[in-house]
Amino acid sequence: MLEDGTALFFEEMTGVVPLKGDRPVVNLLPTGLTAEQLQRRQTLQREAYLACMPLDLSAIPVIAPDDVVSFKREGVQGAVFKCLRLGQYPIKMELDVHAYRLSQARDAVLNYLLAAQTHGERCVMLIHGKGYQSKPFAGLLKSAVCYWLSQLDMVLAYHSAKTEQGGTGVLYVMLTKSEQLKLENREANRKGMGWR
């Protein structure tokens, strides 16, 4: 019976001509990035973020030291934001910049957020202080930090902390997922749906 199947196969293939090998083969799948390319990409991303974080005081809206601050991007659900506002998300990382100069604080905040995101942290704490004595206006660092965070697309939301955790001198900050976490979630969802 196997011989009959083979004979039938060859009979059906009569007249079929193999493709010529002179056509170029195109790989549409993305290739892995080299370490150099990754470094260049990270440098460009960092420069783009710094461009969104001005040191020019005329570009920064003034916030009073005791003002409660709040920011939420479109798409952040109300219940999620409420949990952030109430300090109900676990926080494993915090940064204190309240004694920093403006330029030092900007670098520290950006490095901190990038590191937190790389480590998969979704909610972090940022201590900017109230700045009653800061010059040229009270609340200088608080104003700058809040403005910077609102300009960074990796920040989904922030809110002043509860009184027992620092109140208006501290922020809870919610971050987007890192590219690696997004990829892992896509893979997990694809496997969970039975796609191959």
Side-chain angles (χ1 to χ4, degrees):
M1 183 169 185
L2 181 63
E3 290 175 12
D4 292 338
T6 305
L8 185 60
F9 172 77
F10 283 116
E11 185 179 315
E12 290 294 321
M13 296 300 292
T14 305
V16 174
V17 180
L19 294 174
K20 294 185 179 177
D22 60 343
R23 290 187 180 175
V25 176
V26 179
N27 183 5
L28 298 177
L29 296 174
T31 58
L33 297 175
T34 66
E36 209 173 273
Q37 289 170 322
L38 279 173
Q39 182 63 39
R40 195 167 32 242
R41 180 181 281 182
Q42 289 171 347
T43 300
L44 289 172
Q45 181 186 35
R46 181 176 167 69
E47 287 172 6
Y49 282 138
L50 286 173
C52 297
M53 302 170 75
L55 295 174
D56 178 12
L57 299 182
S58 65
I60 298 171
V62 178
I63 298 173
D66 291 320
D67 284 356
V68 172
V69 293
S70 180
F71 169 80
K72 168 177 93 140
R73 290 206 188 279
E74 191 173 320
V76 176
Q77 296 175 349
V80 170
F81 188 69
K82 181 179 180 183
C83 287
L84 176 71
R85 182 175 55 83
L86 297 175
Q88 295 177 340
Y89 290 115
I91 295 175
K92 297 178 187 168
M93 292 178 69
E94 69 177 56
L95 174 68
D96 185 349
V97 296
H98 86 275
Y100 287 31
R101 292 192 186 111
L102 202 58
S103 60
Q104 293 172 321
R106 181 178 75 162
D107 289 341
V109 166
L110 182 56
N111 291 339
Y112 170 67
L113 295 177
L114 289 171
Q117 195 178 45
T118 300
H119 286 91
E121 296 301 323
R122 296 294 311 280
C123 190
V124 296
M125 186 179 289
L126 186 59
I127 303 166
H128 50 64
K130 296 181 182 180
Y132 291 118
Q133 307 301 317
S134 59
K135 304 286 185 219
F137 56 86
L140 169 67
L141 197 54
K142 176 179 182 172
S143 301
V145 166
C146 290
Y147 181 72
W148 295 336
L149 293 178
S150 69
Q151 301 304 302
L152 299 175
D153 60 2
M154 74 174 99
V155 176
L156 289 174
Y158 65 76
H159 196 282
S160 294
K162 297 188 302 186
T163 305
E164 59 270 20
Q165 289 188 301
T168 58
V170 177
L171 292 173
Y172 302 131
V173 182
M174 180 175 286
L175 302 173
T176 60
K177 292 179 183 173
S178 67
E179 288 304 315
Q180 182 61 34
L181 277 178
K182 287 178 188 176
L183 179 64
E184 288 171 9
N185 282 350
R186 276 194 297 269
E187 289 297 315
N189 288 336
R190 186 162 34 140
K191 287 178 184 172
M193 297 175 101
W195 296 349
R196 306 235 184 256

